[in-house]
Amino acid sequence: METKYSKIIDKIKLIDPINYAKNRNFIDGSVTKLSPYISRGMISTKFVFEKILERNIPFCKVEKFVQELCWRDYWQIIWKQKGNLIDSDLKNNQKGVTNELFSRSLFENNCGIKAIDESVKQLYNTGYMHNHNRMYLASVACNIAKSHWLNPARWMYYNLLDGDWGSNALSWQWVSGTNSNKKYYANQQNINKYCYTNQKNTFLDIDYSEFESLETPTSLTETIDVNLSTELPKNKNLKIDVNVPTLIYNYYNLDPNWRLEKKYNRIFLLEPEIFKKYPISSKCLEFAIELSKNIDGIQLYVGSFFDLLNEYNIKSTYFKEHPLNNYNGFEDKRDWMFDNSENVKSFFSYWKKCKKELKNKKLI
């Protein structure tokens, strides 16, 4: 995966927002694969959105692309509003749960649905999984293998280079019916269509009307308690100028263009408590550290925010808005695409407000 900032910006020029609307659900569709950089805060949804608007394409042709960008902001808004509540069933209790673990055959990419098994292999090898395959897998894990969504969601987040706990947890809750009005199912015909497979006679090769009464197949019944942990690097001595403020970067903010106007200490903070609660793989950690190298003068610190302040006598700090922050200092607002990030109740009420803002600014 590319980690040089200039090359990442070049990827934005290659976005095909018109074809994206037509074929994004297919595994070879015109998806951007920019999500790892957005999730790590290297670029923002707003930045990508503005680059698309600069092309002067009629809005009706790029609306689906813009809407999908808005989903990313929407999940962040819900996380901001609900905080730790997103770690448990948000609106409804998950129905039909028989275990709190994860199906071993899904974990070992051997569930028998070729498209899902191949996507898990790809996840382990590359840290990427197509969004539709994430939904297919979550549906099988929660609604057919009857696992509670939390631990399978933590496993997926652990492995994704674009891991964003808000988007990940709330999407799993949407699939499992705890953050939506019904469970999401995909049958074999649907998967064959979008993944170009031709499987028949699988446990998913049924009509949608049969899903609610479907017994868990024996291939999914064995479960595994997935042990997830993050090994953080050792600390090195930092060079801190106590006469200038300190910028705090973290796993969700690695923006190389943030506050370039004057001199700061620039610290990439890795807090053990965060990674204990939301562990990530070594592949994901290494990716983030490589991205951080685009930031001039960045230094790595492993420990709590308050340990950092005490150890280096830091008096003034700045940081970017994020739900996981537990800092003191000056907070810069997240680069939201739209101004209406308060009192959001549903995505489509939020999207309605976004479109109104676009019309008021004469952008559509």
Side-chain angles (χ1 to χ4, degrees):
M1 179 69 75
E2 183 58 65
T3 56
K4 286 193 137 198
Y5 181 75
S6 59
K7 300 278 187 178
I8 293 161
I9 297 305
D10 287 342
K11 288 178 180 288
I12 297 175
K13 299 171 187 174
L14 301 176
I15 294 173
D16 185 348
I18 298 175
N19 274 328
Y20 174 89
K22 298 175 183 176
N23 61 30
R24 67 189 179 88
N25 291 340
F26 291 88
I27 54 168
D28 62 347
S30 301
V31 295
T32 68
K33 296 191 177 178
L34 290 172
S35 55
Y37 311 113
I38 295 173
S39 295
R40 301 287 67 79
M42 193 175 196
I43 56 175
S44 67
T45 50
K46 182 178 181 180
F47 182 79
V48 177
F49 170 57
E50 289 173 345
K51 290 298 179 186
I52 295 301
L53 288 182
E54 286 173 6
R55 299 190 193 179
N56 292 317
I57 303 170
F59 186 76
C60 62
K61 294 186 178 182
V62 300
E63 181 171 352
K64 177 50 71 175
F65 181 82
V66 174
Q67 189 181 69
E68 291 303 311
L69 283 177
C70 277
W71 270 104
R72 300 191 71 84
D73 273 14
Y74 172 72
W75 292 135
Q76 288 295 310
I77 293 167
I78 299 302
W79 192 7
K80 176 184 171 184
Q81 289 178 350
K82 302 295 184 181
N84 290 337
L85 290 176
I86 72 166
D87 296 353
S88 55
D89 295 1
L90 198 55
K91 294 180 180 177
N92 313 300
N93 291 330
Q94 185 179 336
K95 296 176 181 177
V97 173
T98 61
N99 69 89
E100 305 283 332
L101 303 175
F102 188 33
S103 170
R104 180 180 287 277
S105 65
L106 288 171
F107 176 76
E108 295 178 348
N109 46 272
N110 190 31
C111 77
I113 308 299
K114 288 180 183 176
I116 293 176
D117 290 338
E118 286 302 313
S119 70
V120 173
K121 286 181 189 175
Q122 183 182 34
L123 176 66
Y124 288 148
N125 290 332
T126 68
Y128 171 78
M129 183 183 286
H130 188 281
N131 190 57
H132 247 49
N133 290 61
R134 301 181 197 196
M135 293 165 61
Y136 299 151
L137 188 149
S139 180
V140 171
C142 298
N143 303 334
I144 297 174
K146 313 292 186 188
S147 298
H148 187 266
W149 64 268
L150 181 59
N151 282 319
R154 290 177 79 246
W155 162 82
M156 182 173 280
Y157 172 81
Y158 179 85
N159 287 288
L160 285 169
L161 290 185
D162 69 0
D164 176 289
W165 182 246
S167 174
N168 193 67
L170 292 165
S171 294
W172 276 78
Q173 292 213 49
W174 182 86
V175 168
S176 64
T178 63
N179 189 35
S180 57
N181 295 324
K182 61 180 181 179
K183 296 180 178 183
Y184 167 83
Y185 291 102
N187 68 8
Q188 189 65 59
Q189 183 181 17
N190 180 295
I191 294 173
N192 285 344
K193 175 182 176 180
Y194 291 108
C195 298
Y196 306 112
T197 52
N198 191 31
Q199 275 194 284
K200 295 181 180 178
N201 302 318
T202 69
F203 60 80
L204 293 181
D205 195 12
I206 59 176
D207 187 77
Y208 282 94
S209 62
E210 300 176 63
F211 273 114
E212 286 295 340
S213 59
L214 181 65
E215 294 289 327
T216 301
T218 55
S219 61
L220 298 176
T221 54
E222 185 180 355
T223 57
I224 182 171
D225 187 358
V226 181
N227 182 26
L228 304 175
S229 62
T230 303
E231 186 174 344
L232 297 173
K234 302 294 183 185
N235 261 331
K236 296 180 181 177
N237 288 330
L238 305 182
K239 294 179 180 179
I240 299 294
D241 184 345
V242 295
N243 297 311
V244 301
T246 296
L247 299 186
I248 303 297
Y249 298 79
N250 56 37
Y251 191 59
Y252 285 94
N253 171 31
L254 294 172
D255 179 1
N257 293 319
W258 180 40
R259 286 186 170 264
L260 293 179
E261 75 283 358
K262 63 180 184 179
K263 184 179 178 183
Y264 295 92
N265 302 302
R266 298 176 186 271
I267 306 299
F268 181 11
L269 178 64
L270 297 175
E271 296 184 282
E273 283 303 309
I274 295 292
F275 294 100
K276 183 179 179 181
K277 188 172 184 180
Y278 304 112
I280 60 171
S281 70
S282 58
K283 188 189 298 289
C284 294
L285 180 60
E286 289 161 10
F287 176 67
I289 290 172
E290 283 302 308
L291 289 179
S292 76
K293 293 176 182 177
N294 289 281
I295 301 167
D296 238 10
I298 194 77
Q299 299 180 80
L300 190 68
Y301 181 82
V302 178
S304 77
F305 171 80
F306 297 100
D307 286 344
L308 170 66
L309 265 56
N310 292 332
E311 189 173 345
Y312 289 95
N313 197 30
I314 293 170
K315 304 298 184 187
S316 176
T317 59
Y318 290 81
F319 43 88
K320 273 195 178 182
E321 174 186 8
H322 191 272
L324 286 179
N325 290 351
N326 182 25
Y327 308 149
N328 287 341
F330 302 94
E331 182 178 78
D332 285 350
K333 194 173 181 182
R334 180 185 171 90
D335 296 326
W336 299 104
M337 290 172 63
F338 296 97
D339 297 330
N340 51 18
S341 60
E342 304 297 330
N343 301 317
V344 170
K345 294 182 179 178
S346 72
F347 176 76
F348 289 103
S349 66
Y350 171 61
W351 176 240
K352 189 176 179 180
K353 290 180 181 178
C354 294
K355 289 190 75 173
K356 184 177 180 180
E357 190 175 319
L358 284 167
K359 287 177 182 176
N360 290 340
K361 291 180 178 178
K362 299 188 181 344
L363 294 174
I364 61 174

